[in-house]
Amino acid sequence: KNIAAFYSNNAGELLVNEADYTDSLHGIIFHKIKIESKNDFREKLYQLKNKIDAFYIVPDAIYSEDNFEILSKFAKEDQIVLLTQIPFIVNVGTTFSITPYYARVGTFIGELANEVLSGKIDCKYGYANSVKEFSLSLNKSYAEDSGISLPANILKRAENSRLLIEGIHFYERGNLDVSNLVMEKILKEDPTNFTAFYYKNFINLTINGDKITEYFRQAKDFRFAKNYKKEREKYNQILNLQSDNQNAKIGFQESLVLESESEREEGERLESSNQIFAAIQKYLNSVKILDSNTKSKANLTRIRQKEIRNVPV
């Protein structure tokens, strides 16, 4: 509920001000405290004893090695959650850190540049955005020594974050198969992990891009030949390689509509030449292919109502 943070310079103040502006959105009370000297650090820290639940470490020159050790020991003894956005200090004596996936910053900038180059957005009047995917690092032993119990879902999230970083490292070293396996494991447990989802898609395109392009070409040829079943086979092959490929999903659905409509139109041709039973079969095929084809259902209803009059009583 109560979180405090120290700062000593403009950069530190900028960061604590951000927390100060957003604390009410998260239902917390934030205390920003300016530190004037090394002695001031110790004095103001011990004034917080039994008054706060957590302490937020921001990048600031006030955090010398000595001051950090004082703070880490104080937080452990007073059972205070010690949080930071500096991941490399977690293992030396803090409870946890939450940081952006910096590996995504470069790809994010690249995506933004592509939007500018394609004319989708204008640099001058475009939007501002930021990476919204974050990594959680935990120091379980420090938390336990501080008397802080970590929920199972938080432990699992931290483990997934660790695995994700390893998966990204495998990707950067060119070991795509192992990286892909890591991303699949993460997504199995956390389907909404956008970073793992992004890398899995990117890896799939790298590994299977040529195959996917060829399957799309073949699907196009089958559509031109009105061989819709074979066309859908190609879309299924694409989806087996890349399950979220929206173009394949759209193509598959379009193929169902086209084949269903083809059967309906053939049924209407047969009906017009008084081949009633053959027409009914075509309408049934149309509905079987696409149950939502209301025109075929209406034709079936109409033809049945018409023909029932010819049945002897």
Side-chain angles (χ1 to χ4, degrees), residues 265-282:
E265 290 168 359
E266 179 63 13
E268 290 177 348
R269 185 189 67 78
L270 290 167
E271 185 181 357
S272 66
S273 60
N274 207 35
Q275 299 180 60
I276 303 303
F277 291 106
I280 290 174
Q281 188 58 53
K282 288 294 180 181

Side-chain angles (χ1 to χ4, degrees), residues 23-290:
D23 59 349
S24 60
L25 296 176
H26 302 287
I28 61 175
I29 300 170
F30 186 74
H31 310 270
K32 62 174 186 176
I33 302 167
K34 187 171 184 180
I35 303 300
E36 305 290 349
S37 66
K38 182 177 180 179
N39 291 333
D40 194 30
F41 184 97
R42 183 189 292 267
E43 181 181 339
K44 288 185 176 174
L45 179 62
Y46 280 90
Q47 287 175 3
L48 296 173
K49 189 170 181 62
N50 300 322
K51 293 181 180 178
I52 59 173
D53 308 304
F55 192 98
Y56 176 36
I57 303 175
V58 300
D60 189 291
I62 194 64
Y63 292 105
S64 63
E65 183 177 348
D66 289 344
N67 280 347
F68 175 78
E69 289 180 359
I70 290 168
L71 173 60
S72 181
K73 182 180 178 182
F74 171 83
K76 185 190 295 185
E77 291 174 350
D78 215 32
Q79 296 187 333
I80 292 169
V81 175
L82 194 55
L83 57 129
T84 183
Q85 57 177 277
I86 314 169
F88 62 82
I89 67 171
V90 172
N91 289 336
V92 295
T94 66
T95 314
F96 72 89
S97 74
I98 296 180
T99 54
Y101 281 114
Y102 291 109
R104 281 284 282 126
V105 174
T107 56
F108 179 81
I109 292 170
E111 291 164 2
L112 194 61
N114 284 335
E115 287 189 310
V116 172
L117 292 172
S118 64
K120 290 182 181 178
I121 61 172
D122 186 292
C123 277
K124 185 176 181 180
Y125 301 106
Y127 55 84
N129 213 329
S130 61
V131 175
K132 296 181 176 65
E133 300 153 34
F134 298 90
S135 173
L136 171 65
S137 297
L138 284 178
N139 187 329
K140 187 178 177 182
S141 61
Y142 181 86
E144 290 172 349
D145 290 343
S146 304
I148 297 166
S149 177
L150 298 171
N153 64 317
I154 296 297
L155 291 170
K156 176 56 68 176
R157 181 178 171 187
E159 174 62 13
N160 283 341
S161 290
R162 185 191 65 77
L163 283 175
L164 185 54
I165 291 170
E166 291 213 5
I168 292 171
H169 288 164
F170 280 121
Y171 169 79
E172 290 172 343
R173 291 195 292 267
N175 199 335
L176 301 184
D177 291 333
V178 175
S179 181
N180 191 51
L181 288 173
V182 172
M183 301 308 168
E184 285 180 350
K185 175 177 172 56
I186 293 168
L187 289 169
K188 186 176 180 180
E189 297 178 353
D190 181 12
T192 61
N193 193 309
F194 297 114
T195 303
F197 186 75
Y198 170 86
Y199 274 97
K200 187 178 188 313
N201 277 348
F202 201 77
I203 291 166
N204 277 339
L205 282 175
T206 304
I207 296 173
N208 301 310
D210 291 341
K211 283 184 182 179
I212 290 171
T213 300
E214 176 59 18
Y215 288 151
F216 269 121
R217 186 196 67 76
Q218 292 174 8
K220 183 178 179 182
D221 290 344
F222 282 128
R223 177 173 293 192
F224 183 77
K226 297 186 177 179
N227 190 339
Y228 301 113
K229 288 183 176 63
K230 285 291 185 181
E231 179 190 359
R232 290 196 292 278
E233 284 180 13
K234 294 302 168 184
Y235 291 134
N236 277 329
Q237 286 178 304
I238 293 167
L239 291 169
N240 285 335
L241 295 173
Q242 191 178 32
S243 61
D244 65 312
N245 192 302
Q246 294 303 312
N247 288 330
K249 290 180 180 180
I250 292 169
F252 188 96
Q253 190 62 30
E254 288 176 348
S255 176
L256 289 174
V257 172
L258 289 169
E259 186 175 10
S260 179
E261 281 294 277
S262 176
E263 291 289 295
R264 179 185 66 80
E265 290 168 359
E266 179 63 13
E268 290 177 348
R269 185 189 67 78
L270 290 167
E271 185 181 357
S272 66
S273 60
N274 207 35
Q275 299 180 60
I276 303 303
F277 291 106
I280 290 174
Q281 188 58 53
K282 288 294 180 181
Y283 294 145
L284 287 171
N285 288 344
S286 175
V287 173
K288 185 178 180 181
I289 293 165
L290 188 69

